[in-house]
Amino acid sequence: MRADRPPRRGAAVVAGLSCLLLPLLAHVPRATAADGSAGPAAAPASAATTAAGPGAMAAAPYEYLGWGNPQKPTDVMAATGAKWFTLAFVLSDGTCNPKWDGDRALTGGKDQAAIDSIRAAGGDVVVSVGGWSGAKLGEKCSSASALAGAYQKVIDAYRLKALDIDIEDTEFSKAAVRQRVVDALKIVKGRNPGLVTYVTMGTTPNGPDATGKDLIKRGAAAGLDNDGWVIMPFDFGGHSGTMGSATLSALDGLKAAVKSAYGYGDDAAYRHIGVSSMNGKTDEAGETVTTADFKQILDYARRHHLARFAFWSVNRDRACGSGADADACSGVKQSPYEFTKIVVQYQG
């Protein structure tokens, strides 16, 4: 990938802009993982409704450290009360080997230094694998076991408690790759008890499209105990009403898809979904996500105890100056960190 530009997050490419998942129910069958081992038994239905919420981990806005002028995470923590960040993106170095942006080593560089500083300040991180641009591990790794091994390198490098798989572009569109990602996550979940996993994907205003629904169905069929199926409700290609109302409609559709695939009740289905929005102007003309929209999403997340409320990105959570790049600002009038300050109010 081009090292001078940040990876894309949206469902559609627009040049010059970048942007941008609690246990299974009883009736999900055990499945055989790609490595031949039997999957873990599903948790009883009552577990999802009585478990404690995900806490501060649920609110982990994305920050991209690989390009431009990213804020120091510890400065963001001091200004907003944020405790968790989702750091993006880990990609393939051209082989089945993970590196930051595909070219920076996992350990020993600025990325590890940032993680160490966040933890020293009392916070922690989710690492995001994927995004729109660059070579994807899901495609470069030839088997689920190999892909699981690549994910494991990332987990081990930082002793992660949570991992985000941001599945986009051809990694998302190819059925064989979607299955490989699901099977690899199944292996990783078995090897790392307690690891929280999110799968993040694009959406329509009515919820996941046919490809997204297929991904969720594959997860259920494999017995993947995924903590959060997360949508990115922007770059719709057309919507009606506010971006807040379109986001809620998309979440309703996601909840229905997860409920259907896994056989969950309503409460458990909500607890297994999440949202990763975009602040301010998105990649599409006519799409602007306001702080009022974020407050509407926050209210929905609180009412339904969603697994995750994130957004792309902290880098953009500031007003644009003269000649400022839209990758580094929201494009709307705001004070610094207005969007982050809303998101960090969510505790699951």
Side-chain angles (χ1 to χ4, degrees):
M1 66 171 294
R2 291 174 59 189
D4 63 329
R5 300 296 295 172
R8 288 262 322 141
R9 285 300 310 272
V13 177
V14 176
L17 288 175
S18 75
C19 74
L20 315 129
L21 256 190
L22 295 162
L24 289 171
L25 295 183
H27 303 298
V28 179
R30 289 167 62 92
T32 301
D35 62 354
S37 62
S46 60
T49 58
T50 60
M57 181 189 294
Y62 286 81
E63 184 163 17
Y64 178 65
L65 301 177
W67 178 88
N69 185 31
Q71 304 92 325
K72 291 183 179 179
T74 50
D75 289 349
V76 182
M77 296 171 75
T80 68
K83 293 297 184 184
W84 282 75
F85 295 87
T86 304
L87 299 185
F89 286 103
V90 168
L91 291 165
S92 158
D93 67 355
T95 70
C96 186
N97 186 57
K99 288 187 176 181
W100 289 103
D101 288 345
D103 59 20
R104 300 195 307 278
L106 295 179
T107 58
K110 65 180 181 181
D111 306 280
Q112 181 173 18
I115 292 172
D116 290 346
S117 71
I118 291 167
R119 287 174 169 167
D124 213 333
V125 302
V126 183
V127 169
S128 186
V129 178
W132 181 270
S133 297
K136 312 298 194 304
L137 287 168
E139 295 178 282
K140 294 298 182 179
C141 298
S142 61
S143 67
S145 58
L147 181 56
Y151 292 162
Q152 192 67 50
K153 288 181 181 179
V154 182
I155 294 164
D156 291 346
Y158 308 115
R159 308 177 309 281
L160 292 179
K161 300 180 180 71
L163 181 70
D164 172 48
I165 306 301
D166 186 311
I167 181 167
E168 303 190 52
D169 195 29
T170 51
E171 194 176 33
F172 181 63
S173 64
K174 297 176 182 177
V177 181
R178 293 197 298 276
Q179 188 66 53
R180 189 178 301 147
V181 169
V182 162
D183 291 339
L185 281 177
K186 175 75 179 295
I187 295 170
V188 165
K189 293 283 280 189
R191 291 175 178 169
N192 301 271
L195 178 73
V196 172
T197 57
Y198 307 114
V199 177
T200 302
M201 60 185 145
T203 186
T204 78
N206 296 314
D209 64 9
T211 302
K213 290 176 181 177
D214 176 77
L215 177 62
I216 296 167
K217 288 176 182 178
R218 288 174 185 272
L224 172 61
D225 183 10
N226 186 42
D227 298 276
W229 298 95
V230 180
I231 52 170
M232 297 180 288
F234 50 86
D235 291 357
F236 286 132
H239 73 284
S240 61
T242 67
M243 287 295 286
S245 63
T247 295
L248 270 52
S249 174
L251 282 166
D252 287 343
L254 175 64
K255 173 256 185 181
V258 172
K259 178 181 179 180
S260 174
Y262 278 88
Y264 289 148
D266 287 333
D267 181 70
Y270 280 119
R271 292 173 184 265
H272 285 81
I273 69 171
V275 57
S276 180
S277 187
M278 185 173 181
N279 58 312
K281 293 185 180 298
T282 78
D283 302 317
E284 293 191 3
E287 278 193 3
T288 299
V289 189
T290 67
T291 54
D293 294 325
F294 264 46
K295 290 174 182 176
Q296 189 176 5
I297 299 168
L298 173 63
D299 178 67
Y300 184 101
R302 283 172 162 168
R303 283 188 285 115
H304 296 302
H305 306 288
L306 301 191
R308 180 161 165 85
F309 179 14
F311 77 99
W312 183 269
S313 63
V314 169
N315 307 61
R316 304 180 73 249
D317 200 2
R318 50 194 171 188
C320 296
S322 177
D325 193 299
D327 295 319
C329 57
S330 66
V332 299
K333 184 177 180 180
Q334 66 160 102
S335 59
Y337 305 127
E338 273 196 67
F339 291 88
T340 301
K341 288 176 180 178
I342 295 170
V343 171
V344 299
Q345 294 177 46
Y346 186 58
Q347 297 293 305

